[in-house]
Amino acid sequence: MNFNRRQILRYGAWAPFASGMAGAANRELSAADLARVVRCSIFPGVGFARIGNAPGDYMLAPEVPGTWPSPPGGYKDAAGRIYPQAARFRIYGYDAQGRVVGEMHAGNAQVRWRVHVANRKAAWYDFDQPFDIPESGTLQCGLRNATITGSTRASLVNDPGPREISGRAVNPAGTMPQYRFQGGSVYGVPVALGDLRTDPFGRLIVLGGTGNSASWIPGAEATTFANNDTWYDDTSDGPVDATVTIGGRTLQAEGAWVVTAPPNFAPGIQGVVTLYDVMYSVALQMGAQSPAKPSFVRQILPLLQRSVLYQWTNRGVFLANGWGSPGNFMRPDFLRALASPAPRNQAIRQEVFERFRNPDFDNFEPDKLPPCYGDATTLPANSTRQFQAILPNQFEWLGQWAAGDFVADLPPGLVPDQGPALLERLPVSEQPGALDRASLDDCLGGPFHPGCELAWPVRQTLLYSAPFRIARRTSPEPDFGPVLTQSIALSSNGPLAGSGPGDLTRWMAVPWQTDTSSCLYAYREPNDVYLPTFWPARVPNNVLTTEDYAIVRNKKLPMHIRATAFRRRADWFRMKPLNSQEQMRMVNQFVKNWSSIGVVTLRPGPGDSSFPVHFWVEENANFSPV
């Protein structure tokens, strides 16, 4: 069947300065409206740029939930380089009752932006596993580049300092040096971290690095997935601030945060647990109210849809939950039963509920959903957290649903109304929340080993000043010593108690490419050669190739040939490592040639009932380890 409409929409915010599509402003605010504004906030609260090495054009990050960037010609330029993703930030004004008045931009106010990003990976501690799980009670992590001591360690931090920008359509090509994050270095090697721009309405646009990762020792190779001494990359993060002048009044906007993350190699396929889900669960811990009854459309259906969409990036999921399988939750008759609270359907709801792993981790449940490795993955397994679980609040919602205690809001046609695809078509009161959700749903909520976009600290209330807002450090961070432990990491005055530039991405792998190319699937194969997997929504495992897609769409061919091509999946990495030596050879090739690997892209099906309406197909793949 077709997925819901939003899943197949192709977001048009592409290369705004090349195409003129910058996004319209909302209705003009009157003088009376502007007089009502007493405070301003920047959205999204956490925005994500992504690494890309194609010069010139870029994609904008999602701004409406369920949409994603989709360049007209694909995700790579003619030379095979990946387009970067830019994070766009907007400001909304609020009245004294906390109601959204409207968007504040260059047409109704003077806005001055200030952004300060940095990269602190080389100066931070090794990653072993998350500090916030019981298995890490005795964990001790030493410093990266521990042989560099004393004041010289400051040279491991790439901090180019803050940059400011104001006005309409400033620095559209990214060539003006005063807006570039350059001047910083890692152990003497200059490493640029991106630049600032504005759109025609004066909204902030942040682009990150270009994938510049290497060792400052010429010829040195990476030796591990996460902690490569002498290495650097050009990911980054840091605070986003703005002052808004309305007439004679100047307001300091509530600040946001920007993160430059690795590319998304499967855009449009969400993790079963997203980063929004994680931050929402933290918001519940901070006092937000959970719905009394879960909505099928909002709380249950996403878990089912996302589980099925993994079929395009992992063949094990394709066989278990994909098209034509008995576990395809999106098959119309199956979905109709799952969406109904009728007592006759309780047994099937309960059976599906029991397929999901319990997040209390009391038992070892290797065969449950999600089919992913977890936070405490070891080989051989020695922890129930060897595998990922959905979040406690999600598991509770599923339990309510299984019992029939839910809002049955799926329309008879099985396609929920997802609303407009452009932010400006949403009511202005809904736009700030949409920006938060769109940004975070495009990122993974685990497993955090260490993670794709961000790491385990996002689960801790200590990290936030308010839901979806990173708390700022107000005084210099103390020296935590040569070894980081759980008690230090989770202390109320530890490294999570207020963040500064570079403090979120420092928990990640250095460089990012070694982690992306190491977190694959089925490391040991006692039962299944495809599962478990790590991050199939960002790092595909097995894909439908362009060649097989062409065969499936060719209706002149016999059906058995087309069906065979549809069932066939190729490794995203065209070889699966046989041993650790071969693994590291492939990893080092990926560090150099990461943009040559394929991107799994939404494409139309062949238009007959034997196949899905929509496919995700690997395109522009020419990565081949040598």
Side-chain angles (χ1 to χ4, degrees):
M1 68 167 292
N2 194 357
F3 293 111
N4 72 63
R5 180 169 63 88
R6 177 61 51 72
Q7 285 186 279
I8 62 171
L9 286 171
R10 310 183 77 193
Y11 188 44
W14 162 245
F17 297 106
S19 67
M21 295 177 61
N26 294 294
R27 72 170 182 87
E28 284 191 30
L29 298 180
S30 67
D33 290 328
L34 295 172
R36 290 168 46 215
V37 174
V38 298
R39 66 178 181 87
C40 297
S41 293
I42 302 171
F43 288 90
V46 184
F48 290 84
R50 290 187 184 273
I51 294 287
N53 61 349
D57 289 334
Y58 58 86
M59 306 173 284
L60 284 173
E63 294 187 317
V64 177
T67 63
W68 60 90
S70 187
Y75 292 91
K76 296 186 180 183
D77 68 6
R81 296 167 295 193
I82 291 179
Y83 291 115
Q85 174 178 292
R88 178 161 63 178
F89 292 88
R90 304 174 185 235
I91 299 173
Y92 287 84
Y94 291 77
D95 66 15
Q97 286 72 46
R99 297 171 300 196
V100 179
V101 176
E103 184 184 353
M104 314 304 297
H105 52 71
N108 55 37
Q110 292 178 313
V111 178
R112 186 160 193 86
W113 299 92
R114 186 178 189 271
V115 183
H116 187 175
V117 298
N119 181 308
R120 298 179 177 273
K121 288 183 176 182
W124 195 233
Y125 296 88
D126 283 341
F127 171 80
D128 187 288
Q129 64 184 20
F131 274 111
D132 63 345
I133 59 177
E135 291 83 347
S136 296
T138 59
L139 180 64
Q140 296 186 345
C141 290
L143 291 165
R144 289 172 175 161
N145 298 294
T147 59
I148 299 173
T149 60
S151 60
T152 308
R153 287 194 65 81
S155 67
L156 300 174
V157 176
N158 183 354
D159 185 350
R163 298 292 186 272
E164 295 188 357
I165 194 169
S166 182
R168 298 175 182 263
V170 178
N171 193 31
T175 56
M176 301 175 73
Q178 64 268 40
Y179 302 118
R180 288 191 56 75
F181 290 108
Q182 57 190 10
S185 62
V186 183
Y187 209 62
V189 178
V191 183
L193 298 178
D195 64 85
L196 301 183
R197 312 179 190 192
T198 62
D199 75 6
F201 290 94
R203 302 170 184 130
L204 175 69
I205 293 174
V206 183
L207 279 90
T210 60
N212 177 13
S213 303
S215 169
W216 60 72
I217 298 177
E221 293 202 331
T223 59
T224 178
F225 79 101
N227 306 302
N228 289 286
D229 281 354
T230 77
W231 278 74
Y232 58 83
D233 65 25
D234 57 358
T235 60
S236 64
D237 70 278
V240 176
D241 293 298
T243 56
V244 182
T245 301
I246 311 169
R249 298 182 297 136
T250 297
L251 303 175
Q252 181 68 42
E254 181 184 25
W257 210 268
V258 66
V259 178
T260 294
N264 181 351
F265 293 103
I269 297 180
Q270 293 181 339
V272 173
V273 179
T274 72
L275 195 55
Y276 178 85
D277 296 331
V278 173
M279 290 195 185
Y280 180 83
S281 72
V282 174
L284 294 178
Q285 298 173 52
M286 298 176 75
Q289 296 298 307
S290 180
K293 290 185 177 185
S295 152
F296 183 81
V297 168
R298 295 184 179 184
Q299 276 84 42
I300 307 303
L301 183 59
L303 295 173
L304 306 178
Q305 288 179 324
R306 295 165 185 173
S307 297
V308 170
L309 276 178
Y310 279 5
Q311 69 175 298
W312 300 106
T313 52
N314 180 278
R315 191 166 193 270
V317 178
F318 169 64
L319 296 174
N321 299 100
W323 178 265
S325 75
N328 179 9
F329 302 132
M330 303 309 295
R331 195 177 71 242
D333 59 328
F334 201 171
L335 180 59
R336 189 170 288 109
L338 295 176
S340 168
R344 67 179 180 274
N345 294 319
Q346 183 166 355
I348 193 170
R349 293 195 307 269
Q350 184 66 29
E351 191 272 334
V352 170
F353 168 55
E354 291 175 359
R355 293 190 196 182
F356 284 83
R357 191 169 292 112
N358 193 322
D360 66 12
F361 293 105
D362 284 346
N363 299 301
F364 193 75
E365 300 178 313
D367 298 322
K368 295 200 172 183
L369 297 173
C372 299
Y373 289 112
D375 290 341
T377 296
T378 59
L379 298 174
N382 61 14
S383 166
T384 56
R385 287 179 175 79
Q386 176 80 357
F387 306 104
Q388 183 189 22
I390 59 175
L391 301 169
N393 57 291
Q394 293 176 314
F395 193 75
E396 182 178 344
W397 289 333
L398 276 180
Q400 288 182 262
W401 164 74
D405 184 25
F406 68 100
V407 179
D409 52 357
L410 186 68
L414 306 183
V415 180
D417 179 14
Q418 297 294 310
L422 293 176
L423 186 76
E424 287 75 17
R425 294 177 184 170
L426 288 174
V428 70
S429 62
E430 297 179 14
Q431 292 177 19
L435 287 165
D436 274 342
R437 178 152 199 172
S439 172
L440 296 167
D441 262 346
D442 196 46
C443 301
L444 297 191
F448 291 122
H449 200 270
C452 271
E453 291 89 3
L454 289 176
W456 65 269
V458 296
R459 296 189 292 219
Q460 299 300 308
T461 58
L462 190 60
L463 189 71
Y464 302 90
S465 58
F468 309 107
R469 299 281 165 175
I470 305 300
R472 305 290 182 89
R473 187 188 309 137
T474 57
S475 58
E477 185 174 69
D479 184 344
F480 298 115
V483 173
L484 192 64
T485 64
Q486 185 181 73
S487 61
I488 296 173
L490 299 178
S491 169
S492 61
N493 58 356
L496 305 188
S499 297
D503 284 358
L504 299 190
T505 51
R506 65 184 176 179
W507 300 93
M508 306 295 286
V510 57
W512 65 266
Q513 290 99 328
T514 56
D515 196 22
T516 295
S517 55
S518 296
C519 289
L520 303 176
Y521 66 101
Y523 295 120
R524 297 286 174 91
E525 304 172 356
N527 301 308
D528 195 315
V529 297
Y530 300 106
L531 295 171
T533 176
F534 249 111
W535 297 320
R538 289 295 164 273
V539 183
N541 307 141
N542 322 107
V543 295
L544 183 71
T545 65
T546 303
E547 293 77 14
D548 280 336
Y549 174 60
I551 293 172
V552 176
R553 284 175 55 85
N554 186 351
K555 296 182 181 181
K556 296 180 180 179
L557 294 174
M559 178 57 71
H560 73 275
I561 292 178
R562 297 172 66 203
T564 297
F566 174 70
R567 291 192 298 268
R568 191 160 44 225
R569 295 292 188 270
D571 280 350
W572 188 57
F573 282 114
R574 288 299 190 261
M575 69 173 196
K576 189 173 179 185
L578 303 177
N579 52 53
S580 59
Q581 182 178 0
E582 197 154 84
Q583 165 76 12
M584 289 315 302
R585 180 171 68 86
M586 187 182 75
V587 165
N588 280 282
Q589 285 289 319
F590 186 78
V591 172
K592 300 172 184 176
N593 302 317
W594 58 272
S595 67
S596 66
I597 204 158
V599 179
V600 177
T601 303
L602 177 67
R603 289 291 178 253
D608 58 61
S609 61
S610 298
F611 301 101
V613 175
H614 301 282
F615 283 39
W616 264 263
V617 181
E618 178 203 51
E619 296 190 342
N620 302 116
N622 57 8
F623 178 83
S624 180
V626 294

